[in-house]
Structure formats: structure tokens, C-alpha cells
Amino acid sequence: MANQSRAPYLEALREYAARDPERLHVPGHKGGPAADPELRDAIGEQALALDIPALTWGIDTGPEPTPFQEAQALAAEAWGAKRTWFLINGASQANHVALLALAHAGERVVVQRNAHSSTVDGCILAGLTPRFVAPEVDPELGIAHCLTPDALDRALTDTPDAVGATAVSPTYFGAVADVARLAEVAHSHGVPLVVDEAWGAHMAFHEDLPAHALSLGADLVVSSTHKIVGSLTQSAMVHLGHGAEERIDQSVVDRAVTLVESTSPNSLLLGSLDAARRLAATRGRELLGETIAAMTQVRAAVREIPGLQVLDEGIVGAPGVHGYDPLRLAVDVRGTGASGYEVAAALRERSEVILELAGENVIVGVFGMAEAAAPQGERLIAALKDAIGSLGDRGDRTREDFAAPPPWGELAMSPRQAFLGPQEVVGVGEAAGRIATESLAAYPPGIPNVLPGERLTAETLDYIQTTLDLGGSLRGASDRRLRTVRVVAE
Ligand SMILES: Cc1ncc(COP(=O)(O)O)c(C=O)c1O
């Protein structure tokens, strides 16, 4: 075990700044003196001093292993990866990398239908044609859970030329997939499993959390380190699993990382990854233990508020839910009669409590690995009581039906062809039968109804319109009220 209490890359940045070299290199603020004074004041001289470019001797060039290589090796060890890459364009970049890496083996890939938009964008970049597979949907809450191993097996059986499969776990709402079985299924079909674990970077550091994807046989794991573990926004990692190399070539991943990355990666982002890894590896267990205990209290207090229910381990065992991440606080607001959008607005306007996500039925708050969750939870509980009180008695929506979306349309061309080809904007009345160039995802439940390359159906357009009329929202569309749609020109 290497010394996880070191942060070699961050230390090398600080040593460089402390030597106060003459900076005849970029960036033009020269480590602070040439920066706008208000910027200097706002983010601090030290942050500017540590903004050091790539290819600096003693940091990421010079005798090997360089501090940058050491930092990534420490991260690989901490998460149990064969190799880890630090990324400066988020888990979005990690998904682009994953799809570009898979595309070396062929042209088709099995993709969980409600994958993050960066997965679909990865297919566009890589020229892969997706064979979509639906996640399970919670019929009561109208939210999407995870992909089941059986559904993956059917999709891979149906797509013998698929070169890999991608699945999301945990979901936005904290549901965790049966990654061990998903990996077994993928491997039994001879293909790698990519797990988008953007929301689960902390899961490697406490035994009371669901096991993390790398420990369960996933081949390539997308990790949005900034989300829960606390590196700076936009910093992320992609991990290659031990044993994955027979399915994914390390050098191909390496090339894909550089293809979708600036040649000037920000050292503050990279340094924050090194520091977040150290915090997680050395104190994660203790910090997470506190957060998990505090979250149990917070959940109990939310349940006491009339009309509110919380999602918890109770959802484990529902179709598509193998585990549950307790750092997510997903609250079912239907019993208040108000929508999640209304509750979120009241929390924001009356108490400055800002949530991660609000949907029709559920609101989600995210707690961080090292957060003082107990006092934050108390503030939230007081604000929730106030918000619900302010919204008044609106009856109970718990029994309202959730209409399942119609099946998605035929994939008439690859997402890449649709995205890059000639396009035109048509009124929604003329859109049925045309091929979409954009994504349309009605919330709830947020599973894309239409993705680039798919033929639009009247049924789907009606469904989206009804969802909008009922107060739902539409993501991905160039016209969020669906008056027009961008389609392939004919
Ligand atoms: C499942 C999933 N994957 C990937 C991403 C992209 O992460 P990032 O914002 O770090 O690029 C997100 C962002 O919310 C996500 O929810």
C-alpha cells in the first residue's frame, strides 16, 4: 500500500509556487501579479499561484514517475483500479472516453436508455449505433431506477455484434444496480461493461455503503469525483478495472482521454482530485460514517413532516434496485399535494435552501462525503416545515396515476448521422414520421422519449405535450415548449 496521506501532485504545485520562479510561460496572469485585481481578490492569490500549465518540469514532466503519474497511481490504488486517469471535463468526458474506447472494437453498443446525455454524445463522437435498453421504472413515483441483468442479457442476445454495454449506477435518486450480475452478463457475451458511477465515487470508502462498481467486475468506471467526494467542479476520473485489459486496451483509453481534453488542463482541478483522493483514502471511512449516521436522523425527521416520505433502503428489492446510497436524500412530496417544483421554489425563496433536483413527485438533496450533515439536515428540516406550511393544504396526490411513456421510435440512422447531417426546424404538427436530430426527455420520469436518429411518432409527441400540460418539463429539446422540433432535412 502506497502512502495515501501524500498528495504528490498538489505538493509539487505548491513547491513550484513557493520557489517563485520567473514565469515566462502561460497563463498570462503569471501566477497572480498580472490578473485582474478583483479576480485576485475573489479567488485569492494562492489559487492563481497554483494555476500552473501542463508540461512543467518536476510536476508532470521530468524524472518518472512524475508527481502527476504518482497522483493517478495513488487514485488507482484507492479505488482499486488497474489504472486511473484524472479528467478536467467532468464525468461527461469520461463517458466520451468510454464510448470512443469501445468504438475501436466495432459499431454497436448496448446503452441504458436513460443514460446521461454525455453517453449519447459519446455515441455521436464515436460513431457508435446504440441498441437501447430500458431501465425499470417505479410505477408509483414515476422515476427511473436501474437496468436489470435480465434486461441486459436480452439486449446483448439481441445484438450479437455489440462491442460493449453501459449502465448507470447509482441513479440520481440513489438506487444502485446489481453491478456484479450486470458484469457477469456482459462478460458472458464477451463484451466489457462500462458503469457510469458518476454519483458513486464515495462508495469505495465505507463498508455500509453499496459496493462500488470496480470491486464488482466493471471494466471501465466513470466517476464524477466532484459530486460527492469534493474535488473542484468539473474534475473527474475514469478507472480501468483489474482484469479489464483483455476487453479494453489501456492505450486506447489513454488516447481517447487526450482526444477529448484540452492541451492546457487546469492544475487546480487536477490538484483538487489529488487532494480529494487523499481525504477519501485517509479519512473517508470516518467522515462517511458520520454522514451516514446523520442522514439516518435526517430521514427520520423528514418522515415526521406531514405529507412527506423519504426514499430509503425500503426501495431495495424493487425491480432495478439492488442497493441504496444513503447520501442522497430523495423526498416524495406527493402527500403534500404540491409538486416537487413548488416545494423546491419555496425552499429557495423562503430559506435559501437549494436542492440538487426537483421533479414532479420527488425532490433530491445531495450530501457530501465530508459535510457536516447533522446541522445541514436540521436547517433543511426547519426549511421543509416552513415551505410545506406556506404551500397550504392541497390534498394528497399519492394516488395519482403515472402514465407510462409510449415505446421509443425506430432508430432510422445513427445518432452521429442525424447530428451531423443537414437539419431543419419544423412545427410539431408536421414532425411525426420525421427523424429527430435532438433528444426529447419528458420529466417525469426523464427517460429520453426521443434521441437523435430516431423517428418521431405522433404518440410520443402527444405524450410529451400532455406531460408539459400537466406541469412537467422537457429536457434536451431546442424548444422546451415543443412548438417546434429540429429534424433531419428531407
Ligand atoms: C449519471 C451521470 N453521468 C455523467 C454525468 C456528467 O458528469 P459531469 O457533470 O461531471 O460531467 C452526470 C451529471 O450529472 C450524471 O448524472
Side-chain angles (χ1 to χ4, degrees), residues 89-93 95 116 118 168 172 196 198-199 224 226-227 236:
N89 196 24
S92 303
Q93 184 187 354
N95 273 325
H116 188 253
S118 56
V168 180
Y172 245 104
D196 182 344
W199 285 100
S224 198
H226 66 91
K227 286 194 194 314

Side-chain angles (χ1 to χ4, degrees), residues 98-99 102 108-112 119 128 131 133 147 151-153 155-156 162-168 182-183 185-187 189-196 218-220 248:
L99 278 298
L102 293 183
R108 298 203 73 198
V109 61
V110 169
V111 173
Q112 181 170 333
T119 297
L128 283 170
R131 185 322 189 163
V133 53
L147 192 62
L152 179 64
D153 192 30
L156 283 167
V163 292
T166 85
V168 180
L182 289 174
V185 166
H187 298 165
H189 285 270
V191 299
L193 177 73
V194 176
V195 176
D196 182 344
D219 295 283
L220 204 57
I248 298 184

Side-chain angles (χ1 to χ4, degrees), residues 254-275:
D254 204 41
R255 176 70 187 105
V257 167
T258 44
L259 190 123
V260 285
E261 181 151 299
S262 165
T263 49
S264 309
N266 186 293
S267 56
L268 296 173
L269 297 179
L270 300 173
S272 79
L273 286 170
D274 198 17

Side-chain angles (χ1 to χ4, degrees), residues 11-352:
E11 286 156 18
L13 293 177
R14 298 188 71 184
E15 280 160 22
Y16 184 87
R19 292 201 300 274
D20 191 22
E22 180 171 357
R23 299 192 189 212
L24 294 181
H25 56 67
V26 295
H29 64 64
K30 301 291 169 174
D36 172 73
E38 193 185 338
L39 177 68
R40 213 164 40 231
D41 201 38
I43 67 167
E45 286 188 9
Q46 195 59 23
L48 289 160
L50 297 186
D51 185 10
I52 298 164
L55 304 183
T56 297
W57 186 265
I59 298 181
D60 61 343
T61 58
E64 297 199 353
T66 64
F68 185 54
Q69 289 168 331
E70 280 185 284
Q72 293 185 115
L74 283 166
E77 184 187 79
W79 269 274
K82 162 93 179 155
R83 183 165 170 192
T84 293
W85 290 261
F86 284 4
L87 307 174
I88 45 102
N89 196 24
S92 303
Q93 184 187 354
N95 273 325
H96 300 162
V97 166
L99 278 298
L100 283 166
L102 293 183
H104 280 72
E107 288 170 6
R108 298 203 73 198
V109 61
V110 169
V111 173
Q112 181 170 333
R113 178 70 182 186
N114 59 331
H116 188 253
S117 54
S118 56
T119 297
V120 177
D121 290 349
C123 290
I124 292 175
L125 286 173
L128 283 170
T129 299
R131 185 322 189 163
F132 290 113
V133 53
E136 295 300 315
V137 174
D138 189 312
E140 257 202 67
L141 290 169
I143 60 175
H145 292 319
C146 304
L147 192 62
T148 63
D150 285 348
L152 179 64
D153 192 30
R154 283 194 298 274
L156 283 167
T157 305
D158 211 42
T159 324
D161 54 345
V163 292
T166 85
V168 180
S169 175
T171 66
Y172 245 104
F173 303 98
V176 174
D178 187 351
V179 174
R181 283 193 52 221
L182 289 174
E184 267 171 37
V185 166
H187 298 165
S188 73
H189 285 270
V191 299
L193 177 73
V194 176
V195 176
D196 182 344
E197 200 172 53
W199 285 100
H202 58 298
M203 294 193 321
F205 300 101
H206 201 288
E207 66 280 6
D208 289 345
L209 294 171
H212 66 116
L214 277 168
S215 69
L216 298 172
D219 295 283
L220 204 57
V221 175
V222 166
S223 180
S224 198
T225 325
H226 66 91
K227 286 194 194 314
I228 310 281
V229 171
S231 57
L232 292 178
T233 297
Q234 217 178 314
S235 61
M237 299 186 195
V238 63
H239 305 287
L240 185 69
H242 283 289
E245 264 212 292
E246 56 191 80
R247 289 175 286 271
I248 298 184
D249 182 345
Q250 195 181 133
S251 60
V252 161
V253 180
D254 204 41
R255 176 70 187 105
V257 167
T258 44
L259 190 123
V260 285
E261 181 151 299
S262 165
T263 49
S264 309
N266 186 293
S267 56
L268 296 173
L269 297 179
L270 300 173
S272 79
L273 286 170
D274 198 17
R277 181 274 312 153
R278 171 170 60 190
L279 188 65
T282 57
R283 296 194 50 220
R285 189 170 176 279
E286 160 210 343
L287 293 165
L288 283 163
E290 286 166 18
T291 312
I292 295 167
M295 293 307 297
T296 306
Q297 306 288 326
V298 175
R299 281 199 174 78
V302 173
R303 274 193 210 96
E304 299 288 304
I305 303 175
L308 297 186
Q309 280 303 326
V310 278
L311 268 71
D312 56 18
E313 311 72 58
I315 64 166
V316 176
V321 189
H322 185 71
Y324 183 72
D325 173 15
L327 267 65
R328 222 69 50 76
L329 183 70
V331 180
D332 171 5
V333 301
R334 287 172 304 156
T336 67
S339 72
Y341 309 112
E342 291 168 312
V343 176
L347 286 172
R348 184 183 66 242
E349 286 160 16
R350 298 171 62 89
S351 307
E352 286 285 359

Side-chain angles (χ1 to χ4, degrees), residues 298 367 371-381:
V298 175
F367 285 74
E371 180 163 2
Q376 296 288 41
E378 278 172 28
R379 182 172 169 186
L380 170 67
I381 297 299

